[in-house]
Amino acid sequence: AWASDQRVFFFMELSHPVASIEYNSDSDPTKAALILDNPDNESVIVKVGISAVDESGAENNMKSEMGDLTFDEVKNRATTTWNEQLSKITIEEADLDRKTTFYTSLYHTMIAPNLYHDVDGRYRGIDLEVYQTDSFDYHTVFSLWDTYRATHPLFTIIEQERTNDFVNTMLAKYQEGGIIPIWDLSACYTGCMIGYHGIPVIADAYLKGIRGYDQELAFEAMVHSAEQNH
């Protein structure tokens, strides 16, 4: 509900043909039930791609990232990716419960921010116009009120390259919408929560020597956000 104009396009590929579609327009948004031609009750495989730009972007994302991969291949790829990600911190702990708590917490820090551009680099900016990025990964879902104290400082240790992407994303949003977002969600400026918690994220990165962004633009954006009469 915070994202007042959230735009999501999708592309689906089904393992079985669609026999019919039943629509329910009594609710908002409209819902559709797909009735598949599957007389032998086989397992149904659904591949879905999404995009904030357009349907062709969603199709391109799905075909580029999954293509002809099977369910097990996608599952194994996800398992490998998560194991590599969680192995960025190794702890020695005999108590399995404590070890589980630690890695569950570490997993929680990695749910967001989310990559928000298509495989061709197109994305929808905070002004809802379509842009192109080739030099950094554009993200969304910056829960800065919650994350500036500990999560982003952790990222400056284990996610330095992505921290540059985060800062570049904030600066792009500043150029697109005239302010560093307070709480950015699906390219929408929510204005949720008080303060301007993107500023300590940028300052922390700078003071730790993470400098893969336009530093003069970063300073300009930080001052501008700090001087808001709001």
Side-chain angles (χ1 to χ4, degrees):
W2 296 347
S4 59
D5 193 355
Q6 183 176 174
R7 305 183 188 186
V8 182
F9 301 86
F10 70 93
F11 177 85
M12 293 175 61
E13 188 176 275
L14 305 168
S15 60
H16 293 71
V18 177
S20 62
I21 304 177
E22 295 181 0
Y23 292 98
N24 177 7
S25 57
D26 295 336
S27 61
D28 186 22
T30 298
K31 298 176 183 178
L34 304 181
I35 292 82
L36 303 183
D37 185 5
N38 187 12
D40 298 325
N41 197 30
E42 299 168 325
S43 295
V44 174
I45 301 297
V46 183
K47 294 183 178 181
V48 182
I50 62 172
S51 168
V53 178
D54 53 29
E55 292 176 21
S56 64
E59 179 179 0
N60 194 23
N61 290 339
M62 193 279 284
K63 290 183 176 179
S64 298
E65 295 178 340
M66 281 195 285
D68 296 326
L69 293 178
T70 66
F71 179 88
D72 286 335
E73 287 171 335
V74 173
K75 177 185 176 183
N76 291 338
R77 177 181 288 186
T79 299
T80 299
T81 300
W82 273 111
N83 282 335
E84 291 175 352
Q85 190 69 14
L86 295 171
S87 294
K88 290 188 174 185
I89 300 180
T90 301
I91 64 169
E92 297 179 2
E93 173 59 65
D95 187 325
L96 183 58
D97 287 341
R98 293 180 60 169
K99 197 169 187 177
T100 300
T101 297
F102 175 84
Y103 282 107
T104 300
S105 299
L106 187 60
Y107 163 78
H108 286 158
T109 71
M110 297 170 178
I111 295 174
N114 304 145
L115 193 64
Y116 202 57
H117 64 73
D118 290 348
V119 292
D120 61 5
R122 294 184 304 154
Y123 69 89
R124 192 170 297 279
I126 203 168
D127 56 357
L128 299 179
E129 297 297 322
V130 176
Y131 295 89
Q132 178 82 32
T133 177
D134 300 308
S135 58
F136 67 94
D137 286 342
Y138 189 90
H139 289 72
T140 193
V141 189
F142 285 92
S143 176
L144 292 164
W145 167 272
D146 309 290
T147 58
Y148 80 95
R149 299 176 183 87
T151 307
H152 277 283
L154 173 66
F155 290 156
T156 64
I157 300 171
I158 65 172
E159 298 284 4
Q160 294 189 355
E161 183 176 348
R162 289 183 72 216
T163 294
N164 277 317
D165 289 334
F166 297 157
V167 175
N168 278 306
T169 296
M170 290 182 192
L171 298 184
K173 293 177 189 294
Y174 165 69
Q175 292 178 307
E176 297 154 10
I179 193 171
I180 294 176
I182 298 174
W183 210 122
D184 168 76
L185 179 61
S186 298
C188 290
Y189 178 77
T190 69
C192 183
M193 300 303 182
I194 62 172
Y196 46 99
H197 303 299
I199 278 66
V201 171
I202 299 173
D204 186 36
Y206 180 87
L207 291 171
K208 289 177 178 173
I210 299 173
R211 307 281 176 85
Y213 47 88
D214 185 331
Q215 296 158 40
E216 292 298 324
L217 178 63
F219 184 69
E220 172 192 316
M222 292 165 71
V223 171
H224 176 268
S225 295
E227 291 182 341
Q228 293 294 308
N229 182 21
H230 175 65

